């Protein structure tokens, strides 16, 4: 059943955006006659400052657009034609449960593959009852690698995902390096703090193949050839080590592996790296000199450089720079990557341990769908549009066209992937349900609430996966039923006082006063609290 909501006819509701962006804006949504008429920013999150991106401002077009899925439907034409017949929820869920049982009995549980990523960064819409269902089924596991896998691994290996410098402290920096990120398009609320730093006299270095809006304002723009971030970073390391700018005291006290990093950097002169990257060697030297000689200095490491074969090593080299240069210990100094781990939240609410079943890399979905030896027979897609976001599109489409593959797509709108489904299920949007939104740029954790009633017959993830647990006889006594109960269960299992604060006032107090200084308030979360500059 859907959670009971009492929503006034004409009103304004403050909620939070959980979409995949570092900022997690607080929103003010105007509703008239039960319909959203305006979406704007609120000031409840002071960092997002009352303004929002155009994508979310226009979210009503998705909410009420012609492509919105409003009822369950079963395919009635060839796969890919997008032709469906409306059915009841009972008919749709019965068919899904039956096909899952058939696949498990005939081909084994690993023939079932859940496929999801990034539809929302909320804590409720992914890895709650959905994870419980697929773990108890013993389904194949999905390696969510389409984004942030190399950078996340690098951040974890070097620093144990130590909390990052937050947006507000960029204004304190005297030099800012934006590497592999475009805050003007994603993470827009960082831009005012960069502008304030520049107003105070800070220098801006942008390393990006494209001339982004911030690159146009930069003192130095290194338009590196894609895939060459690693030699550029190693050339800066070489300069720091070989020309006396490495902080030897910091390296001795707080790092390991510095000698091996120095050895790897030694061959990369400015000239060699510049030739490889297609940039001017003098400009590269100028950037290195400015970074070495200026404090506080901060590097905003993005995700652009990870999308290459050497992306993990490039991210390691970039993130290691503040340790070698000794840029920690002051406000506005250090690095910013992702702050998602800063709250210390682990998903203790998933109802079963992860099974030891096979792992399928989501970047290799097409290959998995064509594997005749260990075939995927049931594909359950949610929080994702695989045909558009995953590599090797033609192979994926060939796989989705298989008549022996049963595909479920649980979505808000008729996506490219949904057109190939055997059954489509209508999902609620974040404006129609509860959510716990955790920022990974700023330190914000807020409770989202329903603004309008669910459109048509759309249902939340908690309702659908909870119902499938029931139909497949995998539900345990006493487990939450439906979205509201699941939200309350998650709140009780969050570290305290986080859960209590979210329940009482809709927002949690940020850790470390909301503005941690690296190596003063927060330290590496590695086993020995040291930076591992050359992780295996």
């Amino acid at each position: 059943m859907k959670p009971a909501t009492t929503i006034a006819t004409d009103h304004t509701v403050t909620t939070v955006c959980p979409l995949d962006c570092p900022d997690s804006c607080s929103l003010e949504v105007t509703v008239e006659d039960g319909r959203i008429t305006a979406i704007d920013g609120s000031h409840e999150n002071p960092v997002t400052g009352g303004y929002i991106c155009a994508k979310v401002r226009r979210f009503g077009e998705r909410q009420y657009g012609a492509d919105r899925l409003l009822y369950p439907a079963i395919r009635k034409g060839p796969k890919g034609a997008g032709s469906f017949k409306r059915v009841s929820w009972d008919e749709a869920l019965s068919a899904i449960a039956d096909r899952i049982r058939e696949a498990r009995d005939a081909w084994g549980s690993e023939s079932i593959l859940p496929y999801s990523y990034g539809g929302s960064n909320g804590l409720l819409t992914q890895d709650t009852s959905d994870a419980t269902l697929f773990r108890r089924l013993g389904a194949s596991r999905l390696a969510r690698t389409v984004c942030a896998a190399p950078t996340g691994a690098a951040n974890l290996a070097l620093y144990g995902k130590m909390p990052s410098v937050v947006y507000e402290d960029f204004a304190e920096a005297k030099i800012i390096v934006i590497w592999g990120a475009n805050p003007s398009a994603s993470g827009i609320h960082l831009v005012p703090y960069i502008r304030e730093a520049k107003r105070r006299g800070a220098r801006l270095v942008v390393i990006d193949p494209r001339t982004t809006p911030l690159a146009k304002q930069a003192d130095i723009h290194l338009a590196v050839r894609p895939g060459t971030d690693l030699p550029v970073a190693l050339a800066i390391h070489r300069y720091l080590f070989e020309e006396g700018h490495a902080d030897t005291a910091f390296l001795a006290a707080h790092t390991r592996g510095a000698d091996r990093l120095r050895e790897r950097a030694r061959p990369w002169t400015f000239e060699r790296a510049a030739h490889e990257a297609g940039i001017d060697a003098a400009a590269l030297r100028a950037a290195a000199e400015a970074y070495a000689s200026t404090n506080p200095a901060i590097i905003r490491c993005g995700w652009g450089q990870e999308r290459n074969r050497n992306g993990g090593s490039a991210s390691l080299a970039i993130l290691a720079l503040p340790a070698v240069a000794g840029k920690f210990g002051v406000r506005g100094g250090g690095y910013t990557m992702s702050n998602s781990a800063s709250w210390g939240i682990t998903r203790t609410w998933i109802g079963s341990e992860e099974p030891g079943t096979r792992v399928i890399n989501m970047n290799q979905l097409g290959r998995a769908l064509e594997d005749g030896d260990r075939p995927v027979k049931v594909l359950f897609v949610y929080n994702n549009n695989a045909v558009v976001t995953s590599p090797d599109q033609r192979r994926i489409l060939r796989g989705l066209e298989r008549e022996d593959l049963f595909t479920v797509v649980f979505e808000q709108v008729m996506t490219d992937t949904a057109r190939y489904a055997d059954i489509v299920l209508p999902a609620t949007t974040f404006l129609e349900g509860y959510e716990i939104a955790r920022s990974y740029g700023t330190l914000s954790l807020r409770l989202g609430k329903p603004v309008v009633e669910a459109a048509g017959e759309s249902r939340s993830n908690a309702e659908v996966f909870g119902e499938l647990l029931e139909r497949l006889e995998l539900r345990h006594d006493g487990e939450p039923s439906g979205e509201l109960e699941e939200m309350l269960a998650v709140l009780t299992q969050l570290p305290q006082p986080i859960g209590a604060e979210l329940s009482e006032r809709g927002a949690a107090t940020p850790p470390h006063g909301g503005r941690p200084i690296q190596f003063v308030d927060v330290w590496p979360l590695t086993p020995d609290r040291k930076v591992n500059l050359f992780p295996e």
Side-chain angles (χ1 to χ4, degrees), residues 148-159:
T151 47
N155 193 8
L156 181 65
L158 263 71
Y159 298 103

Side-chain angles (χ1 to χ4, degrees), residues 403-475:
E403 285 299 331
D404 65 324
L405 174 68
F406 182 73
T407 301
V408 180
V409 176
F410 183 23
E411 237 321 340
Q412 299 166 359
V413 298
M414 180 57 72
T415 63
D416 305 77
T417 310
R419 296 178 65 84
Y420 287 83
D422 293 284
I423 292 184
V424 291
L425 303 176
T428 51
T429 70
F430 76 91
L431 296 173
E432 296 168 336
Y434 293 98
E435 189 55 280
I436 299 172
R438 174 180 55 179
S439 166
Y440 60 93
T442 63
L443 286 179
S444 172
L445 185 64
R446 295 179 179 273
L447 184 65
K449 48 187 177 290
V451 174
V452 290
E453 300 287 355
E457 297 180 13
S458 57
R459 293 186 180 182
S460 68
N461 287 24
E463 295 172 90
V464 171
F465 291 114
E467 178 70 17
L468 287 172
L469 279 164
E470 189 76 43
R471 288 172 182 261
L472 291 164
E473 299 180 336
L474 296 172
R475 186 184 195 83

